Amino acid sequence: QKSEVSGVMAKADIKPKSIHHAKKWSDDVENLYRFQQAGYRDEVEYKQVKQVDMVECWPETGFVKKLQRRDNTFYYYNKHRECEDKEVHKVKVYVY
């Protein structure tokens, strides 16, 4: 049973106000990297598109564990860092 509020939040099309590229790696950048690999801007867009309240994360690190792409195939991620330093500058950070 989903709460009414989260349902409305997920349906509301929230657009980012601005965007910049990540300068250095962090936990947030790691998760953004994972969402962007799977074809989403970030967690906000993922939850809107997939109509889910929760994203499955590794309890040890808090990194995203599994994402469903728009074509419904799944991406599975390691519990450790996957976004290498040379990839960090490609990660887009959206500001709402």
Side-chain angles (χ1 to χ4, degrees), residues 19-72:
I19 173 181
H20 62 273
H21 286 266
K23 299 275 186 285
K24 63 184 204 301
W25 186 88
S26 69
D27 290 1
D28 290 339
V29 168
E30 177 66 38
N31 279 333
L32 283 168
Y33 174 76
R34 294 172 185 218
F35 282 110
Q36 288 166 21
Q37 269 199 321
Y40 302 93
R41 275 195 312 259
D42 52 22
E43 188 172 350
V44 175
E45 187 185 39
Y46 182 77
K47 288 178 172 179
Q48 285 171 7
V49 173
K50 288 296 168 192
Q51 297 290 301
V52 294
D53 290 330
M54 286 294 300
V55 175
E56 211 174 310
C57 294
W58 290 102
E60 301 90 339
T61 58
F63 295 149
V64 173
K65 184 176 189 178
K66 178 176 91 175
L67 291 173
Q68 192 174 15
R69 289 189 349 194
R70 292 169 196 266
D71 65 4
N72 292 330

Side-chain angles (χ1 to χ4, degrees), residues 2-15:
K2 271 199 202 166
S3 73
E4 301 256 335
V5 178
S6 66
V8 171
M9 260 296 281
K11 284 184 187 67
D13 204 12
I14 305 160
K15 294 271 189 267

